[in-house]
Amino acid sequence: MRPFLLKAPVKDYIWGGTKLRELFGKESDAERLAESWELSCHPDGECIIDGGEFDGMKLSEFVAMHPEAVSSSFKKEEGFPVLVKLIDARNDLSVQVHPCDEYAHKYENDNGKTEMWYIISAEPGAELIYGFKEELTKEEFRRAVEENTLMDKVNRVPVKQGDVFFIEPGTLHAIGKGILIAEIQQSSNVTYRVYDYGRLGADGKPRQLHVEKALEVTNTRPADHRRPVYGLELDGVVTQLLADCDYFIVNRHRIIKEAELAADNSSFVHVLMIGGSGGELISDNYTLPLTMGTSVFVPAGTGAYAIKGNCDVIVTTIP
């Protein structure tokens, strides 16, 4: 089974910008492009296969037909496990929190959300919100929300290109304006907004907050925010392990000429190009072009494949 390109659904949330169109070639009639869901079987936004034998098919339909392409141990009734996004924050995102699996399964009919961020670029002075400055009680947290003093309590973290953040369920967080991110997460769309700067939605009304649920799931202790990332250079390819958890494994490969990789039966591989001037993915004499924003699904069991050219890619698999 050959690797294939994916076409990502695009979201036009009010805080989005124009970089997904300008840098990554994403197409939409919307003025603002906030997110593109580069690997998704979630019903709120599904990828479509672009070209090849399964051209035009939803990725979820392909997975239902060929669960072995996800993993030799994957059962389609479990649901596709991960979601990969590009996020362009022209303005601040809401301050929010995600629940764990147990809570989300019980109350939302969805998964919880563990996620990680790789900072593709950040404007000077850009920062994000990650947890609290100091520990609060639940009552102090509630009072800060009600008295509009929450932003005095949160921990603001300056960011730069290449930073990595791991966001466990229950961690209060927000992406700040001027940040471009690759996000890898559990396949979930459950978000509890706590604070939204008084903004109005498309209907002219304040966007919904979810304070009571947020109070139930938020960890009010300070969080360990930034993860150190170490690179290993071998044969001209710099590889960095960005995340390794129960839900996903994420590596970044900075390739100047060629990287020889493989997809065994234990997991599919998702390749997302986030930098470089271009190249190609080659598998068994079959070639796919790679440019900024290209998203490729490599089925489990494909075996050896190579990426050639000047490419900076995020590669996601499952444990």
Side-chain angles (χ1 to χ4, degrees), residues 37 51 74 110 133 139 173 185 188 192 280 299 304:
W37 292 18
F74 176 71
D110 204 340
K133 293 178 184 176
E139 184 53 40
H173 62 278
Q185 59 163 88
S188 171
Y192 299 146
E280 53 191 16

Coordinates of all heavy atoms in Angstrom, one line a residue, residues 37 51 74 110 133 139 173 185 188 192 280 299 304:
W37 N -6.2 21.0 10.0 CA -6.1 19.7 10.6 C -5.4 18.7 9.7 O -6.1 18.1 8.8 CB -7.5 19.2 11.1 CG -8.1 20.1 12.1 CD1 -7.7 21.3 12.5 CD2 -9.2 19.7 13.0 NE1 -8.5 21.8 13.6 CE2 -9.4 20.8 13.9 CE3 -10.0 18.6 13.1 CZ2 -10.4 20.8 14.8 CZ3 -11.0 18.6 14.1 CH2 -11.2 19.7 14.9
G51 N -5.3 12.2 -4.3 CA -4.5 11.5 -5.3 C -4.4 10.0 -5.0 O -4.7 9.5 -3.9
F74 N -4.3 -2.3 15.7 CA -5.4 -1.4 15.7 C -6.7 -2.0 15.4 O -6.9 -2.8 14.5 CB -5.1 -0.2 14.7 CG -6.2 0.8 14.6 CD1 -6.4 1.7 15.7 CD2 -7.0 0.9 13.5 CE1 -7.4 2.7 15.6 CE2 -8.0 1.8 13.4 CZ -8.2 2.7 14.5
D110 N -16.2 11.9 24.0 CA -15.0 12.2 23.2 C -13.8 11.8 24.1 O -14.0 11.4 25.2 CB -15.0 13.7 22.8 CG -14.1 14.0 21.6 OD1 -13.3 13.1 21.2 OD2 -14.3 15.0 21.0
K133 N 1.3 30.9 38.3 CA 2.5 31.4 38.9 C 2.7 30.6 40.2 O 3.9 30.3 40.5 CB 2.4 32.9 39.2 CG 2.4 33.8 38.0 CD 2.3 35.2 38.4 CE 2.1 36.2 37.3 NZ 1.9 37.6 37.7
E139 N -11.2 27.3 45.2 CA -12.0 28.5 45.5 C -11.3 29.7 45.1 O -11.9 30.7 44.5 CB -12.3 28.5 47.0 CG -13.2 29.7 47.4 CD -14.5 29.7 46.6 OE1 -15.1 28.7 46.4 OE2 -14.9 30.9 46.2
H173 N -3.9 26.8 29.9 CA -2.9 27.2 28.8 C -3.6 28.1 27.8 O -4.8 28.1 27.7 CB -2.3 26.0 28.1 CG -3.3 25.1 27.4 ND1 -4.1 24.2 28.0 CD2 -3.7 25.1 26.1 CE1 -4.8 23.6 27.1 NE2 -4.6 24.1 25.9
Q185 N -1.8 15.9 19.1 CA -2.7 15.7 20.2 C -3.4 14.4 20.1 O -3.5 13.8 19.0 CB -3.7 16.9 20.3 CG -4.5 17.0 19.1 CD -5.7 17.9 19.2 OE1 -5.7 19.1 19.1 NE2 -6.9 17.2 19.5
S188 N -9.3 14.6 19.7 CA -10.3 15.1 20.6 C -10.6 16.6 20.2 O -9.7 17.2 19.7 CB -9.9 15.0 22.0 OG -10.7 15.7 22.9
Y192 N -12.4 23.5 27.3 CA -13.2 24.3 28.2 C -12.5 25.7 28.3 O -11.4 25.9 28.8 CB -13.2 23.7 29.6 CG -13.8 22.3 29.6 CD1 -13.4 21.3 30.4 CD2 -14.9 22.0 28.7 CE1 -13.9 20.0 30.5 CE2 -15.5 20.7 28.7 CZ -15.0 19.8 29.6 OH -15.6 18.5 29.6
E280 N 11.1 15.4 -1.9 CA 10.2 14.3 -2.3 C 10.3 13.2 -1.3 O 11.4 12.9 -0.7 CB 10.5 13.9 -3.7 CG 12.0 13.5 -3.9 CD 12.3 13.3 -5.4 OE1 11.5 13.7 -6.2 OE2 13.4 12.7 -5.7
P299 N 1.3 4.3 5.3 CA 0.6 3.2 6.0 C 1.6 2.3 6.7 O 2.8 2.1 6.3 CB 0.0 2.4 4.8 CG -0.2 3.4 3.7 CD 1.0 4.3 3.8
A304 N 10.7 0.4 4.1 CA 11.6 1.5 3.9 C 11.1 2.6 3.0 O 10.4 2.3 2.0 CB 12.9 1.0 3.4

